[in-house]
Protein backbone atom coordinates (compact mmCIF):
# COMPACT_ATOMS: atom_id res chain seq x y z
CA UNK A 1 0.00 0.00 0.00
CA UNK A 2 2.96 2.30 0.53
CA UNK A 3 5.55 0.59 -1.69
CA UNK A 4 6.22 3.85 -3.56
CA UNK A 5 8.96 5.16 -1.30
CA UNK A 6 10.41 1.85 0.00
CA UNK A 7 13.38 -0.03 -1.44
CA UNK A 8 13.05 -3.09 0.83
CA UNK A 9 9.94 -4.89 2.04
CA UNK A 10 9.33 -5.50 5.75
CA UNK A 11 11.25 -8.25 7.52
CA UNK A 12 9.46 -11.25 8.93
CA UNK A 13 9.71 -9.67 12.37
CA UNK A 14 8.23 -6.42 11.12
CA UNK A 15 5.35 -8.27 9.52
CA UNK A 16 4.65 -10.20 12.69
CA UNK A 17 4.90 -7.32 15.15
CA UNK A 18 2.84 -5.10 12.87
CA UNK A 19 -0.04 -7.46 12.19
CA UNK A 20 -3.33 -6.67 13.90
CA UNK A 21 -5.43 -8.79 11.55
CA UNK A 22 -5.37 -11.76 13.98
CA UNK A 23 -7.58 -9.75 16.32
CA UNK A 24 -8.96 -6.75 14.44
CA UNK A 25 -10.71 -8.99 11.97
CA UNK A 26 -13.45 -8.88 14.61
CA UNK A 27 -14.14 -5.37 13.29
CA UNK A 28 -15.08 -6.51 9.79
CA UNK A 29 -18.77 -5.68 9.95
CA UNK A 30 -18.06 -2.21 11.27
CA UNK A 31 -15.32 -1.71 8.68
CA UNK A 32 -17.62 -2.60 5.80
CA UNK A 33 -20.43 -0.40 7.17
CA UNK A 34 -18.11 2.57 7.59
CA UNK A 35 -16.66 2.11 4.09
CA UNK A 36 -20.12 1.96 2.55
CA UNK A 37 -21.14 5.13 4.37
CA UNK A 38 -17.92 6.80 3.23
CA UNK A 39 -18.25 5.90 -0.45
CA UNK A 40 -21.91 6.92 -0.53
CA UNK A 41 -20.83 10.31 0.80
CA UNK A 42 -17.98 10.56 -1.72
CA UNK A 43 -20.53 10.05 -4.49
CA UNK A 44 -23.03 12.52 -3.02
CA UNK A 45 -20.23 15.09 -2.89
CA UNK A 46 -19.16 14.20 -6.44
CA UNK A 47 -15.69 13.23 -5.21
CA UNK A 48 -16.15 9.89 -6.97
CA UNK A 49 -18.68 9.16 -9.72
CA UNK A 50 -21.97 7.51 -8.86
CA UNK A 51 -21.00 4.55 -11.00
CA UNK A 52 -17.68 4.00 -9.25
CA UNK A 53 -19.41 4.33 -5.89
CA UNK A 54 -21.93 1.67 -6.87
CA UNK A 55 -19.19 -0.68 -8.03
CA UNK A 56 -17.31 -0.15 -4.79
CA UNK A 57 -20.39 -0.56 -2.61
CA UNK A 58 -21.46 -3.76 -4.34
CA UNK A 59 -17.89 -5.02 -4.12
CA UNK A 60 -17.93 -4.36 -0.37
CA UNK A 61 -21.14 -6.36 -0.07
CA UNK A 62 -19.45 -9.19 -1.89
CA UNK A 63 -16.44 -9.06 0.44
CA UNK A 64 -18.82 -9.06 3.40
CA UNK A 65 -20.57 -12.11 1.98
CA UNK A 66 -17.24 -13.92 1.73
CA UNK A 67 -16.30 -13.00 5.29
CA UNK A 68 -19.68 -14.18 6.49
CA UNK A 69 -19.33 -17.49 4.71
CA UNK A 70 -15.64 -18.27 5.17
CA UNK A 71 -14.31 -15.98 7.87
CA UNK A 72 -11.74 -13.24 7.38
CA UNK A 73 -8.45 -14.42 5.84
CA UNK A 74 -5.41 -13.73 7.98
CA UNK A 75 -2.51 -12.49 5.89
CA UNK A 76 0.06 -10.65 7.98
CA UNK A 77 1.32 -8.80 4.93
CA UNK A 78 -2.02 -7.05 4.80
CA UNK A 79 -1.59 -6.00 8.45
CA UNK A 80 -5.15 -5.24 9.43
CA UNK A 81 -8.83 -5.54 8.56
CA UNK A 82 -8.80 -2.26 6.63
CA UNK A 83 -6.07 -3.35 4.21
CA UNK A 84 -7.39 -6.90 4.02
CA UNK A 85 -10.77 -5.64 2.88
CA UNK A 86 -9.36 -3.07 0.47
CA UNK A 87 -7.04 -5.63 -1.07
CA UNK A 88 -9.84 -8.17 -1.57
CA UNK A 89 -12.00 -5.41 -3.01
CA UNK A 90 -9.29 -4.61 -5.53
CA UNK A 91 -9.08 -8.28 -6.52
CA UNK A 92 -12.82 -8.29 -7.08
CA UNK A 93 -13.46 -4.96 -8.82
CA UNK A 94 -10.05 -3.82 -10.04
CA UNK A 95 -8.30 -0.46 -9.71
CA UNK A 96 -11.51 1.47 -9.00
CA UNK A 97 -11.22 0.02 -5.47
CA UNK A 98 -8.39 2.48 -4.96
CA UNK A 99 -10.90 5.36 -4.99
CA UNK A 100 -12.48 4.21 -1.72
CA UNK A 101 -9.62 5.52 0.38
CA UNK A 102 -10.02 9.09 -0.96
CA UNK A 103 -10.38 11.63 1.86
CA UNK A 104 -9.85 9.18 4.69
CA UNK A 105 -7.04 7.39 6.48
CA UNK A 106 -6.85 4.21 8.45
CA UNK A 107 -6.56 6.47 11.48
CA UNK A 108 -10.09 7.83 11.26
CA UNK A 109 -11.26 4.53 9.85
CA UNK A 110 -10.08 2.47 12.80
CA UNK A 111 -11.36 4.99 15.32
CA UNK A 112 -14.77 4.85 13.66
CA UNK A 113 -14.89 1.06 13.37
CA UNK A 114 -13.82 0.60 16.97
CA UNK A 115 -16.38 3.08 18.27
CA UNK A 116 -19.09 1.22 16.42
CA UNK A 117 -17.88 -2.06 17.93
CA UNK A 118 -17.79 -0.65 21.45
CA UNK A 119 -21.29 0.78 20.98
CA UNK A 120 -22.56 -2.73 20.22
CA UNK A 121 -20.69 -4.12 23.23
CA UNK A 122 -22.40 -1.55 25.43
CA UNK A 123 -25.78 -2.59 24.07
CA UNK A 124 -25.01 -6.25 24.73
CA UNK A 125 -23.96 -5.49 28.30
CA UNK A 126 -27.15 -3.54 28.85
CA UNK A 127 -29.33 -6.34 27.48
CA UNK A 128 -27.50 -8.87 29.65
CA UNK A 129 -27.81 -6.75 32.76
CA UNK A 130 -31.49 -6.21 32.16
CA UNK A 131 -32.05 -9.97 32.00
CA UNK A 132 -30.10 -10.35 35.25
CA UNK A 133 -32.20 -7.65 36.88
CA UNK A 134 -35.40 -9.40 35.85
CA UNK A 135 -34.10 -12.59 37.49
CA UNK A 136 -33.10 -10.68 40.65
CA UNK A 137 -36.43 -8.92 40.95
CA UNK A 138 -38.36 -12.14 40.35
CA UNK A 139 -36.48 -14.04 43.04
CA UNK A 140 -36.65 -11.06 45.40
CA UNK A 141 -40.41 -10.92 44.99
CA UNK A 142 -40.71 -14.63 45.86
CA UNK A 143 -38.49 -14.11 48.89
CA UNK A 144 -39.65 -10.72 50.17
CA UNK A 145 -40.39 -12.28 53.57
CA UNK A 146 -37.79 -15.08 53.64
CA UNK A 147 -35.59 -14.53 56.67
CA UNK A 148 -31.83 -14.88 56.56
CA UNK A 149 -28.98 -13.57 58.67
CA UNK A 150 -27.66 -10.23 57.52
CA UNK A 151 -23.90 -9.95 57.89
CA UNK A 152 -21.29 -7.35 58.54
CA UNK A 153 -17.68 -8.58 58.70
CA UNK A 154 -19.32 -11.85 57.60
CA UNK A 155 -20.57 -12.13 61.21
CA UNK A 156 -24.29 -12.45 61.85
CA UNK A 157 -25.50 -8.91 62.44
CA UNK A 158 -29.27 -8.53 62.13
CA UNK A 159 -31.91 -10.59 60.40
CA UNK A 160 -32.71 -9.42 56.90
CA UNK A 161 -34.90 -10.75 54.14
CA UNK A 162 -33.50 -12.65 51.19
CA UNK A 163 -35.52 -10.38 48.92
CA UNK A 164 -33.77 -7.37 50.40
CA UNK A 165 -30.37 -8.98 49.88
CA UNK A 166 -31.13 -9.77 46.23
CA UNK A 167 -32.46 -6.27 45.63
CA UNK A 168 -29.12 -4.87 46.76
CA UNK A 169 -27.73 -6.40 43.56
CA UNK A 170 -30.56 -4.83 41.60
CA UNK A 171 -29.27 -1.45 42.79
CA UNK A 172 -25.66 -2.30 41.87
CA UNK A 173 -26.65 -3.44 38.40
CA UNK A 174 -28.82 -0.35 37.95
CA UNK A 175 -25.71 1.77 38.51
CA UNK A 176 -23.83 -0.46 36.05
CA UNK A 177 -26.47 0.11 33.39
CA UNK A 178 -26.31 3.81 34.06
CA UNK A 179 -22.53 3.81 33.61
CA UNK A 180 -22.87 1.94 30.30
CA UNK A 181 -25.56 4.38 29.17
CA UNK A 182 -23.25 7.25 30.08
CA UNK A 183 -20.40 5.68 28.10
CA UNK A 184 -22.73 5.26 25.13
CA UNK A 185 -23.89 8.86 25.30
CA UNK A 186 -20.29 10.07 25.30
CA UNK A 187 -19.25 8.06 22.23
CA UNK A 188 -21.89 9.73 20.10
CA UNK A 189 -19.62 11.66 17.72
CA UNK A 190 -18.18 10.18 14.53
CA UNK A 191 -14.41 10.38 13.80
CA UNK A 192 -14.76 9.53 10.10
CA UNK A 193 -13.48 12.35 7.91
CA UNK A 194 -10.79 13.41 10.37
CA UNK A 195 -8.47 11.60 7.96
CA UNK A 196 -4.89 10.97 9.14
CA UNK A 197 -4.87 13.76 11.73
CA UNK A 198 -5.55 17.12 10.13
CA UNK A 199 -8.78 16.70 8.21
CA UNK A 200 -8.91 16.72 4.42
CA UNK A 201 -8.99 19.14 1.52
CA UNK A 202 -11.73 17.18 -0.23
CA UNK A 203 -15.21 18.67 0.08
CA UNK A 204 -16.56 15.85 2.28
CA UNK A 205 -19.85 15.90 4.21
CA UNK A 206 -19.11 14.61 7.68
CA UNK A 207 -22.69 15.05 8.86
CA UNK A 208 -23.82 12.62 6.21
CA UNK A 209 -21.45 9.82 7.24
CA UNK A 210 -22.08 10.47 10.93
CA UNK A 211 -25.79 10.13 10.42
CA UNK A 212 -25.49 7.05 8.22
CA UNK A 213 -23.54 5.30 11.00
CA UNK A 214 -25.97 6.26 13.74
CA UNK A 215 -23.88 8.98 15.38
CA UNK A 216 -25.25 12.32 16.56
CA UNK A 217 -22.75 14.27 14.46
CA UNK A 218 -19.05 14.54 13.56
CA UNK A 219 -16.24 14.96 16.10
CA UNK A 220 -15.07 18.57 16.41
CA UNK A 221 -11.28 18.20 16.36
CA UNK A 222 -9.51 15.90 13.94
CA UNK A 223 -6.39 15.50 16.11
CA UNK A 224 -8.49 14.45 19.08
CA UNK A 225 -10.70 12.24 16.94
CA UNK A 226 -7.89 9.99 15.69
CA UNK A 227 -6.08 9.85 19.03
CA UNK A 228 -9.07 9.43 21.33
CA UNK A 229 -9.68 6.08 22.96
CA UNK A 230 -11.64 7.44 25.90
CA UNK A 231 -14.72 5.63 24.60
CA UNK A 232 -12.92 2.29 24.95
CA UNK A 233 -11.73 3.22 28.44
CA UNK A 234 -15.22 4.38 29.43
CA UNK A 235 -16.52 0.99 28.35
CA UNK A 236 -13.73 -0.87 30.16
CA UNK A 237 -14.21 1.12 33.35
CA UNK A 238 -17.93 0.45 33.33
CA UNK A 239 -17.17 -3.20 32.54
CA UNK A 240 -14.69 -3.37 35.41
CA UNK A 241 -17.11 -2.03 37.98
CA UNK A 242 -19.78 -4.34 36.64
CA UNK A 243 -17.40 -7.29 36.87
CA UNK A 244 -16.74 -6.44 40.52
CA UNK A 245 -20.46 -6.69 41.17
CA UNK A 246 -20.70 -10.00 39.32
CA UNK A 247 -17.75 -11.23 41.35
CA UNK A 248 -19.26 -10.20 44.67
CA UNK A 249 -22.54 -11.90 43.85
CA UNK A 250 -20.64 -14.99 42.73
CA UNK A 251 -18.66 -14.99 45.98
CA UNK A 252 -21.82 -14.82 48.08
CA UNK A 253 -23.33 -17.76 46.25
CA UNK A 254 -20.08 -19.71 46.66
CA UNK A 255 -20.15 -19.11 50.41
CA UNK A 256 -23.87 -19.84 50.66
CA UNK A 257 -23.47 -23.08 48.71
CA UNK A 258 -20.76 -24.46 50.99
CA UNK A 259 -22.09 -27.19 53.28
CA UNK A 260 -21.65 -25.40 56.65
CA UNK A 261 -23.92 -22.65 55.27
CA UNK A 262 -26.21 -24.70 53.08
CA UNK A 263 -28.22 -21.63 52.10
CA UNK A 264 -28.36 -22.40 48.41
CA UNK A 265 -28.16 -25.22 45.93
CA UNK A 266 -26.69 -24.05 42.65
CA UNK A 267 -28.22 -25.30 39.42
CA UNK A 268 -26.56 -28.46 38.06
CA UNK A 269 -26.28 -26.66 34.73
CA UNK A 270 -23.81 -24.18 36.19
CA UNK A 271 -21.83 -26.55 38.42
CA UNK A 272 -19.28 -29.28 37.91
CA UNK A 273 -18.45 -32.50 39.70
CA UNK A 274 -15.16 -33.78 41.04
CA UNK A 275 -13.24 -36.51 39.26
CA UNK A 276 -12.29 -38.07 42.61
CA UNK A 277 -14.90 -37.10 45.22
CA UNK A 278 -18.32 -38.33 44.09
CA UNK A 279 -20.25 -36.24 46.63
CA UNK A 280 -18.92 -32.96 45.32
CA UNK A 281 -20.69 -30.29 43.36
CA UNK A 282 -18.41 -27.41 42.66
CA UNK A 283 -19.51 -23.85 41.94
CA UNK A 284 -17.00 -23.51 39.10
CA UNK A 285 -19.02 -21.02 37.07
CA UNK A 286 -19.28 -18.70 40.07
CA UNK A 287 -15.59 -19.10 40.83
CA UNK A 288 -14.72 -18.24 37.24
CA UNK A 289 -16.95 -15.17 37.36
CA UNK A 290 -14.98 -14.14 40.45
CA UNK A 291 -11.73 -14.91 38.65
CA UNK A 292 -12.72 -13.19 35.41
CA UNK A 293 -13.17 -9.91 37.27
CA UNK A 294 -9.42 -9.90 37.78
CA UNK A 295 -8.83 -10.29 34.07
CA UNK A 296 -11.33 -7.58 33.17
CA UNK A 297 -9.70 -5.13 35.58
CA UNK A 298 -6.39 -6.13 33.97
CA UNK A 299 -7.80 -5.08 30.60
CA UNK A 300 -8.60 -1.55 31.72
CA UNK A 301 -5.14 -1.27 33.25
CA UNK A 302 -3.59 -2.47 30.00
CA UNK A 303 -5.30 0.16 27.85
CA UNK A 304 -4.73 2.97 30.33
CA UNK A 305 -1.03 2.25 30.36
CA UNK A 306 -0.94 2.02 26.56
CA UNK A 307 -2.47 5.49 26.32
CA UNK A 308 -0.78 7.34 29.14
CA UNK A 309 2.30 8.68 27.38
CA UNK A 310 1.10 9.10 23.81
CA UNK A 311 1.54 12.43 22.07
CA UNK A 312 -1.06 13.57 19.54
CA UNK A 313 -2.19 12.21 17.22
CA UNK A 314 -2.06 8.51 16.23
CA UNK A 315 0.73 6.20 17.42
CA UNK A 316 0.98 2.52 16.62
CA UNK A 317 0.76 1.68 20.32
CA UNK A 318 -2.93 2.35 19.85
CA UNK A 319 -3.27 -0.79 17.77
CA UNK A 320 -3.03 -2.54 21.14
CA UNK A 321 -6.35 -1.01 22.15
CA UNK A 322 -8.41 -3.82 20.73
CA UNK A 323 -7.28 -7.04 22.47
CA UNK A 324 -8.12 -5.82 25.99
CA UNK A 325 -11.51 -4.51 24.90
CA UNK A 326 -12.39 -7.67 23.01
CA UNK A 327 -11.20 -9.83 25.89
CA UNK A 328 -13.05 -7.86 28.54
CA UNK A 329 -16.26 -7.80 26.49
CA UNK A 330 -16.20 -11.55 25.90
CA UNK A 331 -15.59 -12.24 29.57
CA UNK A 332 -18.14 -9.74 30.82
CA UNK A 333 -20.93 -11.04 28.57
CA UNK A 334 -20.24 -14.55 29.88
CA UNK A 335 -20.13 -13.43 33.52
CA UNK A 336 -23.46 -11.62 33.28
CA UNK A 337 -25.10 -14.59 31.56
CA UNK A 338 -23.70 -17.03 34.14
CA UNK A 339 -24.92 -14.92 37.05
CA UNK A 340 -28.35 -14.60 35.45
CA UNK A 341 -28.61 -18.39 35.29
CA UNK A 342 -27.45 -18.76 38.89
CA UNK A 343 -29.93 -16.23 40.21
CA UNK A 344 -32.81 -17.58 38.16
CA UNK A 345 -32.22 -21.29 38.81
CA UNK A 346 -30.62 -21.64 42.23
CA UNK A 347 -32.69 -23.23 44.96
CA UNK A 348 -32.64 -21.21 48.15
CA UNK A 349 -32.91 -23.22 51.38
CA UNK A 350 -34.97 -20.67 53.24
CA UNK A 351 -35.51 -22.95 56.26
CA UNK A 352 -31.80 -23.21 56.76
CA UNK A 353 -31.38 -19.46 56.32
CA UNK A 354 -34.02 -18.76 58.95
CA UNK A 355 -32.42 -21.25 61.33
CA UNK A 356 -29.07 -19.50 60.92
CA UNK A 357 -30.68 -16.12 61.58
CA UNK A 358 -32.26 -17.47 64.76
CA UNK A 359 -28.99 -18.92 65.99
CA UNK A 360 -26.68 -15.95 65.69
CA UNK A 361 -28.20 -13.58 68.30
CA UNK A 362 -29.23 -11.53 65.32
CA UNK A 363 -32.00 -9.87 67.31
CA UNK A 364 -29.73 -8.46 69.99
CA UNK A 365 -30.21 -4.97 68.54
CA UNK A 366 -33.95 -5.47 68.86
CA UNK A 367 -33.55 -6.15 72.58
CA UNK A 368 -31.49 -2.97 72.92
CA UNK A 369 -34.03 -1.00 70.88
CA UNK A 370 -36.86 -2.39 73.04
CA UNK A 371 -35.07 -1.17 76.20
CA UNK A 372 -34.72 2.29 74.64
CA UNK A 373 -38.32 2.54 73.48
CA UNK A 374 -40.18 0.68 76.24
CA UNK A 375 -38.02 1.45 79.27
CA UNK A 376 -36.57 4.81 78.23
CA UNK A 377 -33.01 3.57 78.78
CA UNK A 378 -30.21 5.43 76.91
CA UNK A 379 -28.99 3.36 73.96
CA UNK A 380 -25.44 2.91 75.29
CA UNK A 381 -26.75 1.46 78.54
CA UNK A 382 -29.26 -0.67 76.65
CA UNK A 383 -26.37 -1.99 74.54
CA UNK A 384 -24.55 -3.00 77.72
CA UNK A 385 -27.56 -4.78 79.23
CA UNK A 386 -28.13 -6.62 75.96
CA UNK A 387 -24.50 -7.70 75.88
CA UNK A 388 -25.00 -9.37 79.25
CA UNK A 389 -28.10 -11.16 77.96
CA UNK A 390 -26.22 -12.43 74.87
CA UNK A 391 -23.40 -13.65 77.08
CA UNK A 392 -25.83 -15.59 79.25
CA UNK A 393 -27.62 -17.09 76.25
CA UNK A 394 -24.28 -18.07 74.77
CA UNK A 395 -23.22 -19.83 77.98
CA UNK A 396 -26.44 -21.78 77.94
CA UNK A 397 -26.27 -22.41 74.21
CA UNK A 398 -29.77 -21.05 73.56
CA UNK A 399 -31.34 -18.28 71.51
CA UNK A 400 -32.07 -14.93 73.14
CA UNK A 401 -35.81 -15.46 73.16
CA UNK A 402 -35.29 -18.84 74.87
CA UNK A 403 -33.99 -17.16 78.04
CA UNK A 404 -36.64 -17.22 80.80
CA UNK A 405 -38.02 -13.81 81.75
CA UNK A 406 -36.68 -14.27 85.31
CA UNK A 407 -33.12 -14.54 84.00
CA UNK A 408 -33.57 -11.45 81.85
CA UNK A 409 -35.00 -9.61 84.82
CA UNK A 410 -31.98 -10.63 86.87
CA UNK A 411 -29.86 -8.76 84.32
CA UNK A 412 -32.17 -5.73 84.32
CA UNK A 413 -35.46 -5.66 86.14
CA UNK A 414 -37.01 -3.20 83.68
CA UNK A 415 -37.27 -6.01 81.09
CA UNK A 416 -40.90 -7.16 80.67
CA UNK A 417 -42.72 -10.10 79.11
CA UNK A 418 -43.56 -7.96 76.05
CA UNK A 419 -39.87 -8.03 75.05
CA UNK A 420 -40.33 -11.52 73.61
CA UNK A 421 -42.50 -10.19 70.80
CA UNK A 422 -39.57 -8.05 69.68
CA UNK A 423 -37.03 -10.86 69.82
CA UNK A 424 -38.33 -13.05 67.02
CA UNK A 425 -36.60 -12.72 63.68
CA UNK A 426 -39.92 -11.95 61.98
CA UNK A 427 -40.63 -9.10 64.36
CA UNK A 428 -37.11 -7.85 63.86
CA UNK A 429 -37.34 -7.57 60.08
CA UNK A 430 -40.91 -6.27 60.17
CA UNK A 431 -39.74 -3.47 62.46
CA UNK A 432 -37.10 -2.27 59.97
CA UNK A 433 -39.57 -0.57 57.71
CA UNK A 434 -37.71 2.69 57.21
CA UNK A 435 -37.41 3.63 53.53
CA UNK A 436 -35.01 1.17 51.89
CA UNK A 437 -35.07 -1.11 54.95
CA UNK A 438 -35.37 -4.88 55.09
CA UNK A 439 -39.03 -5.20 56.14
CA UNK A 440 -41.07 -7.31 53.70
CA UNK A 441 -43.38 -4.36 52.94
CA UNK A 442 -40.37 -2.19 52.02
CA UNK A 443 -38.87 -4.95 49.87
CA UNK A 444 -42.20 -5.38 48.08
CA UNK A 445 -42.44 -1.71 47.34
CA UNK A 446 -38.85 -1.64 46.01
CA UNK A 447 -39.64 -4.68 43.88
CA UNK A 448 -42.66 -2.84 42.54
CA UNK A 449 -40.57 0.20 41.65
CA UNK A 450 -37.96 -2.00 39.97
CA UNK A 451 -40.58 -3.90 37.98
CA UNK A 452 -41.87 -0.62 36.69
CA UNK A 453 -38.33 0.52 35.75
CA UNK A 454 -37.84 -2.76 33.91
CA UNK A 455 -41.17 -2.53 32.11
CA UNK A 456 -42.37 -5.80 33.73
CA UNK A 457 -46.15 -5.59 33.88
CA UNK A 458 -48.36 -7.01 36.60
N1 LIG B 1 -3.90 -1.39 12.25
C1 LIG B 1 -3.97 -0.06 12.74
C2 LIG B 1 -4.62 0.00 14.12
O1 LIG B 1 -5.30 -0.90 14.47
C3 LIG B 1 -4.73 0.83 11.81
C4 LIG B 1 -4.25 2.24 11.80
C5 LIG B 1 -2.94 2.33 11.17
N2 LIG B 1 -2.54 3.67 11.00
C6 LIG B 1 -1.29 4.01 10.73
N3 LIG B 1 -1.02 5.26 10.61
N4 LIG B 1 -0.36 3.10 10.59
O2 LIG B 1 -4.45 0.94 14.86
Amino acid sequence: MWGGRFADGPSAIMREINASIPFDKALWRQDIAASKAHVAMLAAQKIVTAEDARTISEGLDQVAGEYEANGVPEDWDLEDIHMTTESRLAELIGPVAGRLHTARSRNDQVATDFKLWVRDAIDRADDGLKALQIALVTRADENAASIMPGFTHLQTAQPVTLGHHLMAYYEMTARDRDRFADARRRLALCPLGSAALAGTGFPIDRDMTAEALGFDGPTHNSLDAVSDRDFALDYLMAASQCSLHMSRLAEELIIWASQPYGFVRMPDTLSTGSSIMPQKKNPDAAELVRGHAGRIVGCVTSLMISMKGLPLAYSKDMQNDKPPVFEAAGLLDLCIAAMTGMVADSTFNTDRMREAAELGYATATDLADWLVVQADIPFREAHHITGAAVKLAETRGVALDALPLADLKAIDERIEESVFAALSVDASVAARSSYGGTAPNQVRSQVKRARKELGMEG
Side-chain angles (χ1 to χ4, degrees):
M1 301 271 171
W2 50 69
R5 78 173 298 292
F6 279 66
D8 291 324
S11 70
I13 290 173
M14 183 62 217
R15 285 204 299 271
E16 182 168 357
I17 199 170
N18 203 39
S20 56
I21 187 67
F23 50 85
D24 70 16
K25 61 186 184 179
L27 295 175
W28 73 262
R29 288 173 204 280
Q30 291 76 12
D31 198 63
I32 299 273
S35 287
K36 287 181 71 172
H38 182 66
V39 78
M41 181 279 291
L42 292 177
Q45 295 300 101
K46 307 207 183 328
I47 300 167
V48 302
T49 65
E51 196 192 326
D52 285 350
R54 197 176 332 109
T55 309
I56 291 171
S57 202
E58 286 169 8
L60 287 167
D61 286 336
Q62 204 179 329
V63 175
E66 291 178 4
Y67 289 169
E68 186 82 74
N70 312 317
V72 180
E74 236 183 77
D75 177 354
W76 290 357
D77 286 334
L78 293 172
E79 187 182 324
D80 56 26
I81 184 62
H82 324 295
M83 302 224 280
T84 300
T85 300
E86 194 181 324
S87 139
R88 182 62 189 144
L89 185 66
E91 284 170 7
L92 291 171
I93 66 172
V96 64
R99 296 192 185 277
L100 170 60
H101 212 53
T102 313
R104 77 170 185 190
S105 146
R106 280 184 297 152
N107 295 351
D108 59 337
Q109 199 181 346
V110 72
T112 305
D113 294 357
F114 197 27
K115 256 192 184 181
L116 291 171
W117 195 95
V118 169
R119 194 171 73 188
D120 288 346
I122 289 173
D123 292 345
R124 280 200 310 278
D126 189 65
D127 288 347
L129 284 170
K130 184 172 179 187
L132 172 56
Q133 288 186 319
I134 289 171
L136 285 166
V137 164
T138 305
R139 302 310 304 272
D141 203 13
E142 291 163 17
N143 289 288
S146 306
I147 308 279
M148 63 172 282
F151 302 98
T152 59
H153 315 269
L154 204 53
Q155 304 287 312
T156 298
Q158 293 175 349
V160 296
T161 49
L162 175 56
H164 192 221
H165 196 114
L166 293 171
M167 287 302 285
Y169 285 92
Y170 175 81
E171 293 302 310
M172 293 183 224
T173 49
R175 291 193 295 275
D176 289 330
R177 291 184 68 190
D178 194 47
R179 265 184 289 273
F180 282 119
D182 187 47
R184 196 184 201 285
R185 183 182 58 72
R186 216 177 298 105
L187 66 61
L189 300 182
C190 182
L192 195 60
S194 299
L197 75 166
T200 175
F202 289 99
I204 58 173
D205 179 352
R206 295 194 57 205
D207 289 296
M208 182 179 166
T209 43
E211 199 193 317
L213 295 170
F215 289 102
D216 292 350
T219 51
H220 304 301
N221 182 300
S222 59
L223 288 170
D224 175 51
V226 297
S227 76
D228 169 39
R229 293 295 182 271
D230 290 4
F231 63 89
L233 286 169
D234 280 345
Y235 168 75
L236 286 175
M237 287 187 270
S240 295
Q241 288 219 27
C242 181
S243 77
L244 303 188
H245 294 152
M246 297 304 105
S247 175
R248 292 181 68 179
L249 178 56
E251 169 66 357
E252 300 224 72
L253 291 176
I254 291 165
I255 293 173
W256 292 2
S258 84
Q259 285 69 22
Y261 272 79
F263 286 5
V264 71
R265 197 153 42 75
M266 299 255 211
D268 286 358
T269 50
L270 289 165
S271 307
T272 60
S274 159
S275 52
I276 173 165
M277 296 164 283
Q279 88 284 9
K280 289 206 71 185
K281 178 163 157 187
N282 296 327
D284 290 30
E287 291 172 295
L288 286 165
V289 168
R290 190 176 60 189
H292 285 356
R295 291 173 62 187
I296 293 171
V297 173
C299 290
V300 70
T301 309
S302 162
L303 183 54
M304 281 186 165
I305 292 175
S306 290
M307 296 305 295
K308 71 175 259 303
L310 298 185
L312 294 178
Y314 177 88
S315 301
K316 201 59 174 268
D317 317 39
M318 290 164 68
Q319 181 164 284
N320 286 339
D321 56 0
K322 281 154 229 92
V325 171
F326 294 165
E327 181 182 5
L331 293 173
L332 184 72
D333 292 348
L334 259 178
C335 289
I336 295 172
M339 293 322 298
T340 303
M342 274 180 250
V343 170
D345 300 330
S346 282
T347 311
F348 295 110
N349 187 339
T350 50
D351 291 342
R352 177 103 178 119
M353 287 180 166
R354 166 180 281 271
E355 213 172 277
E358 282 167 346
L359 277 179
Y361 305 108
T363 59
T365 317
D366 297 278
L367 173 52
D369 288 352
W370 185 93
L371 291 167
V372 170
V373 175
Q374 304 300 326
D376 196 26
I377 298 173
F379 184 78
R380 284 289 158 229
E381 192 189 339
H383 185 286
H384 193 78
I385 296 165
T386 305
V390 169
K391 197 168 159 201
L392 179 66
E394 216 169 25
T395 328
R396 302 225 181 123
V398 297
L400 265 184
D401 60 353
L403 288 174
L405 182 61
D407 291 328
L408 289 171
K409 272 194 171 302
I411 293 169
D412 193 293
E413 60 178 20
R414 289 167 289 187
I415 299 177
E416 304 286 349
E417 178 72 36
S418 67
V419 77
F420 289 106
L423 291 185
S424 78
V425 289
D426 296 283
S428 173
V429 297
R432 290 195 167 69
S433 60
S434 54
Y435 184 83
T438 201
N441 64 1
Q442 271 302 318
V443 174
R444 288 194 185 98
S445 83
Q446 293 302 332
V447 163
K448 199 166 156 201
R449 179 185 59 85
R451 290 177 65 98
K452 198 181 282 168
E453 280 175 9
L454 290 167
M456 295 164 74
E457 297 321 316

